[in-house]
Amino acid sequence: MRLHRLRITAFGPFSGTEEIDFDALSDAGLFLVQGRTGAGKTSILDAVCFALYGQVPGARNAAKGLRSDHAAPGTGPSVVLETTIRGRRLRITRSPAWERPKLRGTGTTAEHAKVILEELEDGTWVGLTTRLDEAGDLVSRLLGMTAVQFCQVALLPQGEFAGFLRAGADERRRVLERLFATEVFTHVEKWLADRRAASGREAAELGAAASSVAGRIAETTGVPSPLGERPAVPAPRRPEPAPEPAADIGALPAWAAELAAGHVDVRAVTEGLRQEVRTRLEAARRALEDARALADRQRGHADALARREALREHAEEKSRMASRLYAAERAGRAVPLVRAVQARHAEARRARRWADEKRAEAGALLPPNASEDVLVKAERARRDEIAKLERARGEVARLRQVEDERAALARELAELEPREARLAATLAELPGIVAARRTELEAANIAAAGRPGAEAAVREAVRRLDAAHRRDQLELRLAEAEAGYRSAVDAAQAAKERVLDLRQARLDGMASVLAGELRDGEPCRVCGSTEHPDPGAPPGDIPDEAEIERAQAGADEAQEARERAGTALEGLRSERDHALETAGEADAETIAGELGEAELALQAVNARAAEAERLEGALLRDERELENVREEHEVVSRDLAANRARDPDLAVEQARLSAELDEARGEDATIEARIARLGREAGVLAATIEALRESDRAAAELAAARENARAAAEAEGFRTPEEVLDAALRDEEQGALRDKIRRLDNEEAAVRDRLQDPALVKAAAEPAPDLPALEAALAAAEAAHTAAASAADRARLRCDRLADLRAGLGEAVGAWRPAAERHEVAERLAGLTSGKHAANRHAMSLSAYVLAARLEQVVAAANERLSRMSGSRYALLHTTEKAAGDRTRGAGGLGLRIADAWTGMERDPVTLSGGESFITSLSLALGLADVVTAEAGGTEIGTLFVDEGFGTLDEETLDEVMDVLDGLRDGGRAVGVVSHVAELRTRIPAQLRVTKDRAGSTAMVTV
């Protein structure tokens, strides 16, 4: 990704519109973003991130208002960024949400966030999307990284990485999780933990199921369960069932088999007793059934005799019903013809009545009682005349069209004549007005041509005035800094001389010190003699080592103060020289006067330019009006001539059509009225003809029906058709008679059969059986059988129940065994991945292990630069030990230590000084940027920024850091350093200067 151009409007501290040409800065490779504190250096980085992702880095994204407080009330905030990502030239225009003043009335209204994403294709910007989500998704896919990753890779925030260097394991974990896609490993840990809990619940539930089956077996057999009593409902404090001991659950099938064997023996005994009682019951039941059958046969024979006597009384009635049914069958064959005569008679009356009505209607058109031929000819004559009149309808429509067209021509003529006169007058005036306007515009354009020079003069005067004020302030501060520096030099020199004096005094009195340590009989450390005849005497007070060390510490502090004062002095001199170079020797008042004159000149030029714009618009309107009037005059003239030529032709056609139509309609009011009248008359004649024909046909059909009915009645043996109707019966009545006859015949046959049945005849000759005694014997046998069967059924049901429960117990235990094994495996894996299992020697979770591997890569990449910036003294070490004070389990693997090559010791990063922390943090940031870039798919970052932190470095370390940053330019990459350190302004000539004042900040590129 490479940045080309950035335009900021009413965003952050920038009240107006600022254009930043990153191509010019990128040509230099290394450029400086400098400005005073709060000027808006970081806001430029915010604008880049906002254009790409619609959000700003860090905590600033929580602030809702991105619009500049200095901007004019109606100016909307926006950021336009041109960049190249993976070879595609894109232009992104974004506007954050803001409250704008209402166009009408008071108050504000909300403007929603907007985006326009365009791509340069063949020299033309082509729109890709205006949706916020689509634009963010496309940029993220092209860059291959999220907004958080981009901020860490392209906008290196030193303050945050100094915190990352000193952070604890949890905070460092959160940072790394945002940058690297480790959610899958966290999900694996959670999945395994959930799986452990689920498998534990499953094993416990299956164990509880097996225990429940064992309890039902114990309840069925009346023996205690080997697992003891179990509550029927889980206790409230333990919603999940507690797991049963594996050994107890595994022994349940053998215990159930032993119980089942004992109950099989009981079942065999009860089954034998039931068979014996069943034999006696069947004998008693057969004796009772035989007695009841004999009694039934005796009653059946008696009933048959009584029914035979009753049927003999219905013989005469059956004969009468047979005769009536025969007469109805003969009449049924002639009834349809008799009833057809009735229907034809009604139809003939209706036809005569209809014919009389229609002949009365036609009486007004023709003579009374006219024949059918006369009626037909009259109808045909009227139909022919209607056909002729139908052709005249087109002429009626044409006449109406001609009349409407002549009326429209008259109205148009009344409008066109005055309009043509007005247009002719306007054409005479406009050419002079256009010529005068063009002359004024040329004069205004000549005056406005000097605006670029006037604007450049104002900008130069403003720049020189700012530099003059800064130069005057720096002169005062420089004098104070020089005095302070001289004092620091004197103090450092005095402290250094005091250290030298003390060391010399210590050396001069060394003999006296040694003499004071001599003891009789002990050898001298100088000559080795055990005798000390003449030890030296001290010349005066001799300083000890502690006093010398205190003096040396004071000298070191004085020297550091001297170096700090010198650095500050050089910085002020550099700023003063830069300001002097810009402002020159002129004082601020003189430059302010020049600025006032330049602003007056610019105002005059702007006024003329505004007038030129107004005149240009007015000229354009006048020229457009002249052209429009010319075109309109031509159209009106053409329409007027056509109108005057068309009206005479239409008048001739109107007269001809009127004469023809008057002749065609005759005495009727209109052609349509005549056609309607003739149509009604033709319809009346046609209906009369049809009615006469229908009446003749109905009369002929009635005569034929009467003859057919008479012949059919005589053929069936009836004298008149009326006798046929009297003898006729409906089908339902005939069916009822046949059913009665059939029932009597069937009943007589059934009685004869029963009286001839040998079994009934034999039973009638035998004595009646004693049924109450036999029923009492059967009741006693059934009671004995019920008791024996109940005992046998209980034994059988208990055995069957035990068989079912044993099968269920076997299935439950079989289902429990693999579940228990799965729970054991899940428990071990969950413990390993969470760092809580004894086999995990480092007590490190899976996600922490993955992040530790990423951190190890970051440390390796960071040490390549840290070794160079620290002169091979420091190196970062990755450790799997927990950070100090970290009590969480499974959080190891994210520790950082500093190896000091000068002392050979390792120490905590919090012990580093400010400058050492900066170079270590910068190395860590660059290393992390390399790893994140590789993680994101190797997306090349052509423009990156390093934000602040250089003020803590000494001159030598700053050289090393600048060499490392300069090396980042390999491959055409541009590096922007964000800092207000004065020395960097002399080291980096390509600069983006950000200045601030009461009206807001501005940005200017200098190369």
Side-chain angles (χ1 to χ4, degrees), residues 232-255:
V233 180
R237 296 177 178 271
R238 300 183 61 185
E240 295 184 2
E244 301 287 354
D248 293 344
I249 294 177
L252 290 177
W255 166 76

Side-chain angles (χ1 to χ4, degrees), residues 690-771:
E690 180 64 23
L692 291 175
R693 292 173 179 175
E694 180 66 18
S695 178
D696 295 341
R697 182 187 59 77
E701 291 178 354
L702 176 60
R706 284 174 175 169
E707 180 60 25
N708 292 335
R710 185 189 60 77
E714 292 178 353
E716 295 296 334
F718 296 100
R719 292 189 297 271
T720 64
E722 286 75 10
E723 291 182 358
V724 173
L725 294 176
D726 292 339
L729 290 176
R730 296 193 304 274
D731 292 342
E732 294 82 359
E733 295 173 338
Q734 294 182 27
L737 291 175
R738 289 191 183 94
D739 291 340
K740 288 181 180 180
I741 295 171
R742 187 182 304 110
R743 283 197 299 271
L744 292 173
D745 291 341
N746 292 338
E747 194 169 354
E748 289 174 354
V751 168
R752 284 194 303 272
D753 293 340
R754 286 184 66 81
L755 291 175
Q756 296 172 3
D757 187 0
L760 295 180
V761 174
K762 180 181 179 181
E766 294 182 4
D770 188 3
L771 293 178

